[in-house]
Amino acid sequence: MTLPGAGPVVAARELRPAAELDAVRRVGAPLPAEWLEQHGVLPLRLDDEALQVGTWLETPAPLVLDELRLRFGASITLLRYEEAPLRSAIRRVYAQESSTAEGVIAGLGGPAAIGRGAELALDDLVHLANEAPVVRLVNLLILEALDARASDVHLEAFADGLRVRYRVDGVLQPAPSPPAQLTAAVISRLKIMAELDIAERRLPQDGRIRLRLQDRTVDVRVATAPTLHGESVVLRLLDRERGRRSLADMGMGGDTLARFSSIIGRTHGIVLVTGPTGSGKTTTLYGAIDVLRTGREKIVTVEDPIEYELPGVPQVPVNDKVGVTFASTLRALLRQDPDILLVGEIRDAETAQVATQAALTGHLVLSTLHTNDAPSAITRLLDLGVAPYLVASTVEAVLAQRLVRVLCPHCRRETDPDPAQVQRLGPLASPLTRVWRAVGCTQCRDTGYRGRQGVFELLVMSEPLRELTQARASGEQVRAVALQEGMHTLRDDGIRLVRAGVTSLEEVLRVTSG
């Protein structure tokens, strides 16, 4: 594609090193970072009167291209990049030091600049938490976490100061950490933003922040906990601009997606999604609601907490402090004439009983359980005290899932598989002859991975499985029959992604071990 006044837009593999970008910055008139981000362009290299310009836009504005051509006195070739790394490069190279968390930290001075927060009076601590450098530092830590595609920010108090880490694609990575003397100020700033009690440092607290950072709206769940050396805080980032993933985008195999879509289309019964915390269970349930929602049915949810708003769907948050529990809310919602109920989690016997009764009386119930695999969900419901005949007659299917990291397409390398790893994966992996491995580059922050995708294990209830349930069979017996009926395990589904070059052997073994 050729734009007016520009050469063709071509795909680019990797951003130039910072030193080379800095050389471009010194050519021609200075360019403000805000202007570059607003218009989605970044000059990369000037060669023989031709300027290479990175962009994430389909068509940068002609006036912007004219401005660059005049400033640099050169024709323009556009290179296509993803938005996040290009924004990060703009801030790293063109912005002032105060536009990055590291720059703000460097400018705060040594330990003598500000007294240790633990020694400050409450009024002084509030004043310090509202000082411009602290406010800017906290905002930049959150903004840079979003740019890194982090799901969580961990701020951990230790004797020598505050350690900050980002959880990116399920793995924690180091981030710029404030100086020790600002530990209490940074934590107090977050507590003020979340409307928590900054004087209370002995008890855990939970809160929520809604931020507007640059052009993005972000919901932040804040959880504090007292530790030996002060409070530690975890921020769960819910980026509304990034949006939710549809069921088709979760990475299910074609057969699994077709069967699961058919099952959630039934008018009654229970469909469970299982897996550990952070395995994408809520995302799958939201995707299922999006598939089912036509406007002709009543859908209601009860969640703890509500992660994303579902347009046109009444959503009720759990609040145990005032007696709003999963079970009590579910009973109340049954009087709202619903067709479909989404229950955030079945975590106790009372909720399990109400959910099965709802399914028995003609409602479709979608919910989650914390079990390691799909067959274990059946025995878990029995352990919660639900009668075997109720479990057998109401549960329609159980979907177990995990999230594996996706190999970075810019640096992955094809290689021979490790025989020991192939043996650990089981007989389905034995025909593997070539696999892809993680390498690491600037596009993936040197991790070798960028993004995550689901692996799934779908158990569909059949007559033999219902008979085993009524007989209180063990999870292993249920698993054996389910495998005979064609169920693919989590590891089997992981092998599918390894064959497709989506992920690595190491990653499949990591998330499916145990």
Side-chain angles (χ1 to χ4, degrees):
M1 176 177 64
T2 302
L3 300 176
V9 178
V10 297
R13 292 183 60 82
E14 194 170 321
L15 286 173
R16 302 286 183 179
E20 189 169 341
L21 291 171
D22 195 55
V24 175
R25 183 182 65 177
R26 294 193 297 267
V27 177
L31 289 162
E34 293 79 6
W35 186 87
L36 293 169
E37 280 203 78
Q38 179 184 353
H39 297 293
V41 292
L42 172 60
L44 296 173
R45 183 169 184 157
L46 185 62
D47 276 331
D48 300 326
E49 298 184 349
L51 177 67
Q52 294 181 356
V53 176
T55 182
W56 62 81
L57 302 175
E58 286 292 331
T59 54
L63 289 177
V64 173
L65 300 177
D66 289 340
E67 177 72 18
L68 291 173
R69 193 182 311 104
L70 289 172
R71 282 176 179 259
F72 289 92
S75 60
I76 294 174
T77 299
L78 294 173
L79 304 176
R80 182 62 45 75
Y81 291 93
E82 292 185 17
E83 180 175 352
L86 204 57
R87 281 190 184 274
S88 178
I90 290 172
R91 296 181 191 133
R92 186 175 71 249
V93 178
Y94 281 82
Q96 300 296 319
E97 286 187 349
S98 60
S99 296
T100 65
E102 283 185 328
V104 172
I105 291 169
L108 287 172
I114 303 173
R116 292 190 66 86
E119 302 168 0
L120 294 174
L122 183 60
D123 289 345
D124 293 334
L125 188 56
V126 172
H127 176 74
L128 180 58
N130 288 316
E131 286 285 335
V134 175
V135 172
R136 184 162 183 77
L137 175 57
V138 170
N139 288 344
L140 284 170
L141 284 173
I142 296 174
L143 186 60
E144 291 180 7
L146 289 169
D147 287 342
R149 299 175 300 101
S151 60
D152 303 85
V153 180
H154 290 242
L155 300 98
E156 301 157 317
F158 293 97
D160 57 349
L162 192 67
R163 179 174 66 171
V164 180
R165 295 188 291 172
Y166 298 153
R167 187 177 294 279
V168 181
D169 296 333
V171 178
L172 287 170
Q173 300 178 7
S177 296
Q181 71 272 13
L182 279 186
T183 295
V186 169
I187 291 176
S188 296
R189 176 61 192 167
L190 288 166
K191 292 171 75 173
I192 289 171
M193 295 168 70
E195 299 181 353
L196 302 178
D197 183 359
I198 68 169
E200 180 55 76
R201 302 169 188 167
R202 300 164 299 172
L203 298 174
Q205 296 186 67
D206 294 304
R208 194 163 189 143
I209 305 169
R210 175 166 290 186
L211 294 175
R212 183 72 184 177
L213 294 174
Q214 294 184 350
D215 59 345
R216 338 167 63 150
T217 299
V218 184
D219 279 342
V220 183
R221 281 168 29 201
V222 182
T224 72
T227 64
L228 179 63
H229 297 290
E231 290 179 285
S232 288
V233 182
V234 175
L235 311 177
R236 168 62 59 87
L237 306 179
L238 303 171
D239 188 355
R240 293 177 176 275
E241 304 301 323
R242 191 177 299 168
R244 295 179 286 107
R245 299 178 72 173
S246 69
L247 202 58
D249 292 334
M250 288 291 292
M252 290 187 192
D255 178 58
T256 302
L257 178 60
R259 296 175 72 196
F260 185 70
S261 298
S262 173
I263 290 163
I264 62 175
R266 297 177 184 177
T267 57
H268 61 275
I270 296 178
V271 178
L272 297 170
V273 181
T274 76
T277 300
S279 60
K281 300 186 297 297
T282 301
T283 301
T284 297
L285 289 181
Y286 281 0
I289 292 295
D290 285 337
V291 170
L292 297 173
R293 185 173 51 193
T294 65
R296 297 188 298 272
E297 62 287 303
K298 178 68 173 282
I299 304 174
V300 291
T301 80
V302 50
E303 305 170 63
D304 182 24
I306 295 172
E307 295 196 5
Y308 291 101
E309 292 182 15
L310 294 168
V313 176
Q315 295 172 268
V316 182
V318 166
N319 189 342
D320 290 326
K321 294 178 182 177
V322 296
V324 182
T325 65
F326 275 113
S328 65
T329 305
L330 191 52
R331 284 195 179 94
L333 291 178
L334 285 173
R335 296 190 289 272
Q336 296 284 313
D337 187 29
D339 298 297
I340 300 169
L341 289 156
L342 188 156
V343 183
E345 181 185 348
I346 295 177
R347 60 174 63 155
D348 54 44
E350 187 179 8
T351 306
Q353 292 284 358
V354 178
T356 51
Q357 289 293 340
L360 201 62
T361 54
H363 303 87
L364 177 66
V365 179
L366 309 176
S367 190
T368 71
L369 272 178
H370 285 286
T371 62
N372 289 329
D373 56 24
S376 298
I378 304 299
T379 54
R380 173 65 176 153
L381 287 176
L382 296 174
D383 291 341
L384 285 173
V386 182
Y389 80 91
L390 278 177
V391 177
S393 58
T394 58
V395 174
E396 297 295 326
V398 182
L399 181 75
Q401 69 180 67
R402 299 288 190 279
L403 294 177
V404 295
R405 291 182 293 172
V406 174
L407 287 165
C408 175
H410 302 283
C411 63
R412 66 175 187 168
R413 295 289 182 271
E414 196 173 10
T415 185
D416 295 323
D418 182 342
Q421 291 179 337
V422 173
Q423 186 175 9
R424 286 178 60 193
L425 282 174
L428 281 181
S430 57
L432 281 174
T433 56
R434 300 289 288 175
V435 296
W436 295 84
R437 65 178 177 88
V439 177
C441 66
T442 57
Q443 293 277 5
C444 59
R445 297 168 64 94
D446 293 318
T447 63
Y449 299 93
R450 184 172 177 81
R452 288 189 291 176
Q453 187 166 313
V455 291
F456 301 91
E457 176 180 287
L458 179 61
L459 180 151
V460 179
M461 292 294 282
S462 62
E463 284 307 313
L465 289 174
R466 296 187 196 278
E467 291 173 5
L468 284 175
T469 301
Q470 294 209 55
R472 287 186 173 272
S474 68
E476 285 304 314
Q477 291 174 299
V478 174
R479 167 172 284 273
V481 173
L483 289 173
Q484 289 175 5
E485 294 181 349
M487 182 185 79
H488 297 293
T489 67
L490 290 166
R491 189 161 283 186
D492 293 341
D493 202 42
I495 294 170
R496 171 181 65 86
L497 298 184
V498 170
R499 293 186 189 281
V502 173
T503 192
S504 63
L505 284 170
E506 293 85 358
E507 186 66 7
V508 172
L509 288 170
R510 181 181 72 86
V511 302
T512 61
S513 295

